[in-house]
Amino acid sequence: MNELDVVGVRVEMPSNQPIVLLREVGGDRYLPIWIGPGEATAIAFAQQGMTPARPLTHDLFKDVLDAFGQQLTEVRITDLREGVFYAELVFASGVEVSARPSDAIALALRTNTPIYGSDGVLDDAGIAIPDEQEDEVEKFREFLDQISPEDFGTSNQ
């Protein structure tokens, strides 16, 4: 397993489909995962430190974990089958729960939990960006700093 950082979310054009971009810590691979608009908003809120007036699903899940004294110790992006990514939530008790990567990432950001990607997933779907292309990545980061959750066209009721 390789530790991953969340670079951010963006909307892929022309399909208007949100993606979350993860970066391999200590490596040169990036992992793009296409996600839904609700999850994109949840991830963007967490990255920007925004707290909605009413808890989003991922905020509620974090609150339930806290209420029951459960600790999420890691999130693993474990597999890629037929274009679908799979993830697991790993708890301090040893319990592992299957999850969508987008939900797992949104929860990991709220709980300051490390995210890992399997070698197989990174080999199959990772995109190597050498240091000389880091300027393009920096432009992407600047774009992410300018985007807001409202850009995803969802309301948070």
Side-chain angles (χ1 to χ4, degrees):
M1 289 282 174
N2 302 284
E3 188 169 0
L4 304 170
D5 282 335
V6 179
V7 175
V9 292
R10 69 171 283 205
V11 176
E12 183 69 28
M13 299 306 272
S15 67
N16 217 24
Q17 179 72 33
I19 65 168
V20 60
L21 185 64
L22 305 165
R23 179 181 51 98
E24 182 180 26
V25 174
D28 66 352
R29 292 183 290 186
Y30 288 76
L31 182 65
I33 300 176
W34 278 255
I35 60 176
E39 292 78 14
T41 299
I43 291 169
F45 270 20
Q47 282 202 297
Q48 295 174 9
M50 295 178 67
T51 304
R54 301 286 300 144
L56 297 175
T57 303
H58 305 95
D59 300 307
L60 174 62
F61 192 4
K62 177 195 178 296
D63 292 345
V64 169
L65 289 175
D66 291 343
F68 283 100
Q70 295 296 313
Q71 181 185 4
L72 182 63
T73 57
E74 63 185 60
V75 163
R76 298 177 186 156
I77 301 172
T78 57
D79 204 1
L80 173 61
R81 295 188 304 252
E82 298 179 21
V84 177
F85 289 90
Y86 293 82
E88 293 175 349
L89 304 174
V90 181
F91 296 92
S93 64
V95 172
E96 297 180 9
V97 177
S98 179
R100 296 185 306 179
S102 55
D103 291 327
I105 292 166
L107 187 58
L109 289 171
R110 284 166 172 74
T111 58
N112 296 313
T113 300
I115 302 168
Y116 298 93
S118 74
D119 291 329
V121 169
L122 286 166
D123 290 346
D124 290 345
I127 300 167
I129 301 178
D131 289 339
E132 61 268 10
Q133 292 181 10
E134 190 66 30
D135 289 343
E136 291 301 315
V137 174
E138 187 56 38
K139 288 179 189 174
F140 180 67
R141 285 187 185 122
E142 289 173 14
F143 166 79
L144 293 174
D145 290 339
Q146 302 302 317
I147 198 164
S148 72
E150 291 79 29
D151 295 330
F152 295 104
T154 61
S155 63
N156 297 308
Q157 302 176 7

